[in-house]
Amino acid sequence: MIDINLLKEASKKVLNNSYSPYSGIKVAAAVLTKNGNIYTGVNVENSSYALTSCAEKNAIINSIIHGEKDFLAMAVYTDSHLVKSPCGSCRQFIFEFSKDLQIYFYGPDYYNEFNIKELFPEGFSL
Ligand code: THU
């Protein structure tokens, strides 16, 4: 059984580590792996804006670094009303590893649940 609350809390816990001086928008993500481990990530911005790396991507990279690429679920937590689903680039990044991932998205007074299948239909992969 997947404990979504645990995943949500894991992302919430690292939210303040977000490096987002340009947008002021903090985003954190946590992935649960098949082995039962949780890896987190936050958005990391850059003065050369295009180099910004999203929380979802960084959580996946963190997991890959630890040798785990089989994901059961992802939670995303943000302090912004403006962020309500993963960006296009993150959808592609998630799809690389999971063709059927459930994503739980939390914002201030906002909650939604998606599957990567609906967020990224006809997704590209090799
Ligand atoms: N951001 C994420 O980390 N994840 C998303 O799903 C959408 C956007 C970040 C990128 C940037 O640092 C800030 O939120 C505003 O776009």
Side-chain angles (χ1 to χ4, degrees), residues 23 25 27 43 45 52 54-56 83 85-87 105:
S23 73
I25 293 172
V27 187
N43 58 327
E45 298 186 345
T52 290
C54 288
E56 296 92 323
V83 181
S85 68
C87 80
F105 218 97

Side-chain angles (χ1 to χ4, degrees), residues 19-23 44-53:
Y19 178 74
S20 41
Y22 305 105
S23 73
V44 179
E45 298 186 345
N46 194 277
S47 53
S48 179
Y49 296 165
L51 295 180
T52 290
S53 192

Side-chain angles (χ1 to χ4, degrees), residues 32-39 66-72:
L32 174 69
T33 69
K34 210 165 72 179
N35 294 340
N37 294 315
I38 290 176
Y39 297 97
H66 288 88
E68 297 200 55
K69 58 178 169 51
D70 298 319
F71 305 117
L72 298 180

